[in-house]
Amino acid sequence: MNRIVYVVLFLLCAAPLAGTLTAQDSDMREKARQLAKEYLITDGHVDLPYRLKVRNFRLEREYLGIPVETADGDFDYVRSKAGGLDAPFMSIYIPASYEDNGAKLLADSLIDMVEGIARAHPDKFALAGTPQEAAANFEKGLISLPMGMENGSPIERKLENVQYWYDRGIRYITLTHSKDNHICDSSYDTTGTWNGLSPFGREVVREMNRVGIMVDISHVSDSTFWQVMELTEVPCIASHSSCRKFTPGFERNMNDDMIRRLAANGGVIQINFGSTFLDGEVRKAFDEKRAQLDALLKEKGLSYEDEEAEAVIQKFQEENEVLLADVKTVADHIDHVVALVGVGHVGFGSDFDGVGDTLPTGLKDVSQYPNLIYELLSRGYSEADIEKICYGNVWRVWNAVEAAAGR
């Protein structure tokens, strides 16, 4: 999740994906839809739980209508079925402000919410703690809800909590988020508290290996990444990161050397769909517009939370447009990873419900995975390649981590 809050509205200026289709294009699009149904699709990062939390959908009775079908957000059951999404990792997102301030309590409440969704809709959703459980759910027509924790703050300096979170269903932990925490340094922070992992963070990585929780290196600083790679005994993931080649200077993404090292250890990078993760020019324009809005509100003595700011923000949105990335850009990132390390080390990590209005044309919600599969088919990817990207690569890492813990 990209929790740096942007409120500027970016209107879509790109041409629509579908114009006049040739018969070959039409056949390929149909093939993409078929593959989306045939292959299990996993996504490394969907921020539904926190979206529901902040909108106060907290009581189990309210799960009866959400997330089955809704116009809100990027994820619901109906759209997931349409797009072929079968195992979205529910992000148990903990803002950096919760470090030493109720992180464990918030994490427990979000896990309770995911469990509540599965209880409320047993004909539609099910929990999944292993790839085998997710595969069994897929055969039954159920959408699996595996869970990953975004930010290790809920470990709360107690190594035994790593096992606690595994027992609660967490299958990966993103070590930090937007600020350095007690485990490691963040790519968004400039403090360099630990110059990588803290001494306790080193113990956490080892304990995650022992327990069977995947180490997620999205959000961490470069120095943290390299130290994790030296320490871990099993493959790791980047649950929702893209390639720095396309966003120079943006440390949140991975550079080529990091992608090579992640792959050498058997790991997988799951591409983030947010336009600011995909295109450096979009990111630059996005930041410039936000700075302008910041200055405008400051000049008027307002903050984003002030009721009086709504009209100012609305007017600014109407007068400002930025061109977003599109589905082809996501495929460009996949191409880049494949060229560097092969097709066995890339997957999907959309950040749906986490990147707001920055989603690219053609990938606006979970119903549109077939558009990306079509783009990969049009670039010559085989069905076996696409199966690996849809789930096989991540399942290989997940199984490896589980197997090592079993030993």
Side-chain angles (χ1 to χ4, degrees):
M1 175 181 290
N2 183 20
R3 277 296 154 199
I4 299 176
V5 179
Y6 297 97
V7 297
V8 181
L9 175 65
F10 292 95
L11 302 180
L12 300 179
C13 303
L17 282 175
T20 302
L21 296 179
T22 66
Q24 184 178 6
D25 282 340
S26 181
D27 288 345
M28 193 174 291
R29 287 197 180 277
E30 179 58 32
K31 183 65 174 178
R33 286 190 288 269
Q34 290 174 1
L35 292 181
K37 299 292 186 183
E38 179 181 343
Y39 296 146
L40 189 154
I41 296 178
T42 192
D43 189 308
H45 199 87
V46 174
D47 273 302
L48 174 75
Y50 196 77
R51 169 167 71 85
L52 297 184
K53 186 76 171 181
V54 298
R55 294 191 180 217
N56 297 317
F57 296 123
R58 300 175 188 174
L59 302 178
E60 186 168 323
R61 61 181 175 82
E62 294 179 281
Y63 299 150
L64 296 176
I66 297 172
V68 174
E69 186 172 13
T70 174
D72 289 338
D74 310 323
F75 172 90
D76 61 38
Y77 175 81
V78 172
R79 285 179 287 176
S80 291
K81 278 296 186 181
L85 177 62
D86 305 293
F89 273 82
M90 295 286 100
S91 172
I92 304 304
Y93 165 62
I94 310 300
S97 60
Y98 280 77
E99 175 82 353
D100 298 320
N101 188 33
K104 187 171 182 288
L105 185 64
L106 176 58
D108 272 323
S109 73
L110 294 176
I111 292 170
D112 289 344
M113 177 187 293
V114 175
E115 292 175 342
I117 291 170
R119 283 196 305 271
H121 304 290
D123 58 330
K124 297 177 176 65
F125 298 106
L127 302 177
T130 65
Q132 292 72 32
E133 289 177 0
N137 291 337
F138 176 63
E139 292 301 319
K140 297 174 185 175
L142 301 175
I143 293 175
S144 294
L145 300 176
M147 290 180 283
M149 181 180 288
E150 186 178 25
N151 189 356
S153 288
I155 293 174
E156 292 190 340
R157 294 180 170 82
K158 298 175 182 177
L159 204 59
E160 61 268 26
N161 278 338
V162 176
Q163 182 70 58
Y164 175 83
W165 293 121
Y166 181 90
D167 293 342
R168 288 238 57 195
I170 295 298
R171 291 301 179 263
Y172 75 71
I173 295 177
T174 317
L175 298 180
T176 189
H177 191 252
S178 60
K179 296 290 184 182
D180 299 353
N181 65 7
H182 66 282
I183 296 169
C184 68
D185 296 341
S186 166
S187 62
Y188 283 130
D189 205 336
T190 58
T191 307
T193 302
W194 308 106
N195 191 31
L197 288 164
S198 71
F200 178 72
R202 292 175 177 274
E203 294 183 57
V204 167
V205 171
R206 294 189 187 98
E207 184 68 359
M208 288 172 67
N209 285 181
R210 187 192 70 80
V211 166
I213 296 179
M214 291 180 282
V215 177
D216 177 21
I217 53 77
S218 290
H219 280 286
V220 306
S221 67
D222 285 7
S223 55
T224 300
F225 167 81
W226 289 107
Q227 291 170 22
V228 168
M229 288 298 100
E230 290 302 315
L231 195 61
T232 184
E233 297 180 354
V234 293
C236 300
I237 61 168
S239 69
H240 59 307
S241 295
S242 299
C243 303
R244 203 179 300 177
K245 170 184 167 62
F246 300 94
T247 57
F250 184 38
E251 190 174 340
R252 172 64 179 79
N253 278 344
M254 298 184 71
N255 67 31
D256 288 1
D257 286 342
M258 296 166 76
I259 293 170
R260 291 188 187 99
R261 184 66 178 87
L262 182 73
N265 195 49
V268 176
I269 175 174
Q270 296 173 263
I271 301 301
N272 191 307
F273 294 174
S275 289
T276 59
F277 288 77
L278 299 171
D279 187 316
E281 291 303 310
V282 171
R283 181 163 196 87
K284 180 181 177 183
F286 197 90
D287 288 346
E288 288 174 353
K289 292 297 182 185
R290 184 176 189 274
Q292 291 172 19
L293 182 56
D294 287 347
L296 179 61
L297 291 173
K298 184 176 180 181
E299 177 185 321
K300 295 179 179 295
L302 298 172
S303 71
Y304 287 103
E305 290 75 26
D306 293 334
E307 186 175 340
E308 297 84 355
E310 292 182 10
V312 177
I313 294 169
Q314 177 68 27
K315 186 172 185 294
F316 187 89
Q317 290 173 341
E318 292 170 355
E319 295 174 353
N320 289 270
E321 300 178 2
V322 171
L323 183 65
L324 296 177
D326 64 18
V327 65
K328 294 178 183 294
T329 322
V330 178
D332 289 344
H333 282 251
I334 292 173
D335 279 351
H336 183 65
V337 176
V338 172
L340 283 176
V341 296
V343 75
H345 301 282
V346 67
F348 304 145
S350 64
D351 215 347
F352 279 135
D353 278 327
V355 290
D357 292 328
T358 74
L359 287 164
T361 308
L363 283 171
K364 288 299 181 185
D365 62 36
V366 294
S367 71
Q368 297 191 314
Y369 292 94
N371 290 339
L372 181 50
I373 294 175
Y374 164 82
E375 185 61 33
L376 295 176
L377 286 171
S378 71
R379 296 183 184 207
Y381 285 80
S382 69
E383 292 182 23
D385 292 338
I386 290 170
E387 184 174 15
K388 289 179 180 178
I389 295 169
C390 284
Y391 77 95
N393 294 334
V394 174
W395 261 217
R396 172 180 52 75
V397 174
W398 193 357
N399 277 320
V401 172
E402 288 280 348
R407 289 197 298 271

